[in-house]
Amino acid sequence: MMVAKGFSKKLKLNIKSIKIDVSGEMDKEKSSGFSLIKTTYYIDSDDSEKQIKKFINLVEKYCPVKLTITDNPEFEREINII
């Protein structure tokens, strides 16, 4: 939501409220992972559809969760037993 808030201010949008639902379908061919991730936006705003679409495109382009999924980051693990 931080990315959405930042871009709404940058684009000077009048977003009264925003709700984002994310759901996924598990990949039946693999033991884990998703075959589909669906994002649904609920936006209360006086801005035009064109402005809202531009806003959503920017949010999705710079979303850290989406970037993490698509860019396959390295994983590092540290175990401390005390």
Side-chain angles (χ1 to χ4, degrees), residues 2-27:
M2 294 296 292
V3 174
K5 188 174 183 177
F7 279 115
S8 69
K9 285 183 179 183
K10 183 175 182 174
L11 297 172
K12 298 181 176 148
L13 299 177
N14 183 29
I15 295 180
K16 299 170 189 166
S17 68
I18 183 169
K19 177 183 173 189
I20 304 170
D21 286 339
V22 180
S23 61
E25 292 181 15
M26 295 298 293
D27 189 337

Side-chain angles (χ1 to χ4, degrees), residues 35-74:
S35 60
L36 172 71
I37 297 174
K38 180 181 177 183
T39 308
T40 305
Y41 297 89
Y42 302 92
I43 300 172
D44 183 6
S45 176
D46 299 329
D47 300 297
S48 71
E49 184 175 343
K50 183 178 179 181
Q51 290 170 302
I52 296 297
K53 284 183 177 180
K54 179 180 180 181
F55 164 68
I56 294 302
N57 287 339
L58 286 170
V59 168
E60 289 183 347
K61 181 176 180 180
Y62 294 102
C63 173
V65 175
K66 183 177 180 182
L67 292 171
T68 300
I69 292 169
T70 58
D71 288 348
N72 299 318
E74 291 184 36

